[in-house]
Amino acid sequence: MWTSPSRPWQETLERARWAERAGFAAIWFADHLMPNTADDSPDSGPMQECWSVLSALGALVPRVRLVSMVSPRPGITRWC
């Protein structure tokens, strides 16, 4: 499952918990701070930071794989 970093934290957590219950294998999160509008133009809206979100989800949604979308960090993802 992929969720947008421009969504509020509570919604991200709810989606991740739903994905875990539904049997999804992974949650992907964008690691670049570039919110976009519906037509893909840049926006200055609020954004969540990838590594903080993945750390928090790791503690709260332990059974799914957590993956950064772009970051070239081999070995950072985890299987539970």
Side-chain angles (χ1 to χ4, degrees):
M1 183 188 87
W2 177 81
T3 185
S4 172
S6 61
R7 295 189 182 277
W9 162 249
Q10 191 60 40
E11 184 178 336
T12 299
L13 177 58
E14 289 169 12
R15 287 171 176 247
R17 286 179 169 160
W18 175 86
E20 183 180 51
R21 287 190 309 271
F24 279 63
I27 296 169
W28 293 73
F29 204 83
D31 60 1
H32 42 283
L33 299 173
M34 190 177 74
N36 292 309
T37 60
D39 66 356
D40 289 333
S41 61
D43 188 14
S44 61
M47 293 288 295
Q48 295 187 71
E49 189 274 324
C50 176
W51 295 105
S52 299
V53 169
L54 291 180
S55 296
L57 289 177
L60 300 170
V61 187
R63 291 189 341 224
V64 294
R65 183 178 187 197
L66 302 174
V67 186
S68 67
M69 213 117 157
V70 178
S71 217
R73 306 278 242 148
I76 295 296
T77 60
R78 73 168 162 73
W79 285 100
C80 292

